[in-house]
Amino acid sequence: MHEQENSMSHELPQESVTVIGLGAMGTALAGAFLAAGHPTTVWNRTAAKAEPLVARGAVAASSPEAAVTASQLIVACVLDYGTLRAVLTGQEAALAGRTLVNLTSGSPEQARELADWAAGLGLAYLDGAIMITPPGIGGPDATVLYSGAPDVLARHRPTLAALGEPVDLGPDAGIAGLYDTALLGLMWSALSGWLHGVALVGADGVRAAEFTPVATRWLSGAVAGFINRYTAQADARTYPGDDAGLDIHLAAMEHLLHASRARGVDTTLPEVFAGQARQAIAAGHGADSYARLIEVIEK
Ligand SMILES: NC(=O)c1ccc[n+]([C@@H]2O[C@H](COP(=O)([O-])OP(=O)(O)OC[C@H]3O[C@@H](n4cnc5c(N)ncnc54)[C@H](OP(=O)(O)O)[C@@H]3O)[C@@H](O)[C@H]2O)c1
């Protein structure tokens, strides 16, 4: 009995949090805070969207001011930065001394501008980029990138960890958004490459379900290994083609183009790869590794 009382007396109350914006993502964020036991206040322009969260224990704020003043930590996730500024306009005095973690998507420039605005108010500001869709929030594949006020993530990490693994990208508020766009570009390249493969093998009667296990094994094993190998080359600006030179890659790209044309499959994607390889080869770099293309891409 005595031991149990002792251990309970050491339990800290969970930090209170306000979530502004209850679209698909804001609803998932608020749900994850509730699931982790955080007293959660929510506000949304369309008030009815708060009802399912209130049924789970959230408090619905009646105005942006009530939302801001309910918690020291405010997490915002609305359509865009202009919307967030509009929602927070008029709340400047209430925001002073609090912490805003903005998980709305935007450009690095918008994030830096908002960080400057927050600094002028005495509002601690952390910009974030959510690298998962709403159903994955709080799950094992959820990552949230953060950049901005250096102490904010350290202070609120246990609370923010309810959303997904927090990744600290340093003090420049614009960097999280820049990583976000770069990583989405990587995702679209990978998804379109996979779909191109699905179309190609599909033309010969292979189902996506048969092709995909082979594709994901290749992507997460060998291709991830190539990326790791070329990382040092990209940083060092030297591209020894001792594993496979661009001449070899281009020959394989021509096979992809041929196989695509023969099956009536769109060639836009392989034309991009081949065009970049041809440029580097024309400049005399045919024996260099694939990493040489960084200089074509950078222009
Ligand atoms: N969904 C994803 O997979 C995902 C992933 C990563 C990042 N994000 C980012 O998360 C943010 C929200 O995305 P979402 O999927 O939740 O979008 P959503 O479902 O369309 O929700 C948009 C939110 O913005 C609010 N809003 C729009 N215009 C407004 C205005 N003029 N005044 C006040 N509030 C306004 C909406 O309020 P109402 O309910 O009143 O319309 C709603 O809360 C976006 O920046 C998005 O890029 C989304």
Side-chain angles (χ1 to χ4, degrees):
M1 179 68 187
H2 179 74
E3 233 174 51
Q4 192 185 1
E5 275 173 4
N6 208 23
S7 80
M8 286 179 73
S9 68
H10 287 290
E11 273 180 27
L12 294 171
Q14 295 282 52
E15 185 179 33
S16 298
V17 59
T18 286
V19 176
I20 291 180
L22 299 176
M25 186 53 89
T27 297
L29 302 177
F33 287 131
L34 286 169
H38 294 278
T40 304
T41 298
V42 295
W43 180 84
N44 193 55
R45 176 182 62 172
T46 307
K49 288 191 187 169
E51 285 165 14
L53 292 161
V54 169
R56 293 176 57 190
V59 173
S62 56
S63 65
E65 185 184 9
V68 164
T69 53
S71 316
Q72 185 64 28
L73 175 63
I74 300 151
V75 173
C77 189
V78 292
L79 182 65
D80 54 26
Y81 279 59
T83 300
L84 182 57
R85 278 295 289 269
V87 168
L88 296 180
T89 293
Q91 311 310 324
E92 291 81 356
L95 286 166
R98 298 181 197 276
T99 294
L100 174 63
V101 177
N102 179 23
L103 300 180
T104 304
S105 301
S107 69
E109 289 69 29
Q110 287 176 316
R112 288 173 187 140
E113 197 185 320
L114 201 64
D116 288 345
W117 169 81
L121 297 181
L123 167 68
Y125 181 78
L126 193 61
D127 201 89
I130 301 168
M131 305 310 298
I132 195 85
T133 53
I137 288 294
D141 292 330
T143 302
V144 186
L145 311 177
Y146 294 99
S147 64
D151 56 321
V152 171
L153 183 55
R155 214 168 337 122
H156 299 285
R157 181 179 278 272
T159 303
L160 295 172
L163 308 179
E165 178 70 26
V167 176
D168 185 358
L169 296 177
D172 175 353
I175 290 294
L178 194 58
Y179 267 64
D180 184 26
T181 51
L183 290 173
L184 288 173
L186 172 61
M187 178 189 76
W188 291 317
S189 306
L191 287 176
S192 287
W194 166 69
L195 288 173
H196 189 97
V198 168
L200 200 63
V201 299
D204 284 14
V206 179
R207 291 166 56 243
E210 295 171 86
F211 173 69
T212 299
V214 181
T216 52
R217 184 173 191 274
W218 157 250
L219 201 56
S220 62
V223 178
F226 301 151
I227 291 175
N228 286 328
R229 179 184 181 93
Y230 295 147
T231 297
Q233 294 188 11
D235 278 340
R237 303 277 137 165
T238 54
Y239 318 99
D242 42 14
D243 57 344
L246 282 171
D247 286 330
I248 300 293
H249 279 285
L250 183 59
M253 289 166 183
E254 299 291 1
H255 297 321
L256 177 60
L257 280 164
H258 174 85
S260 300
R261 283 192 201 106
R263 285 159 182 78
V265 169
D266 180 73
T267 55
T268 307
L269 199 60
E271 286 291 4
V272 171
F273 311 145
Q276 291 177 342
R278 285 189 201 110
Q279 266 190 64
I281 291 168
H285 304 304
D288 284 0
S289 81
Y290 202 88
R292 161 65 72 176
L293 296 188
I294 184 66
E295 297 193 12
V296 173
I297 292 164
E298 285 173 346
K299 296 191 176 157

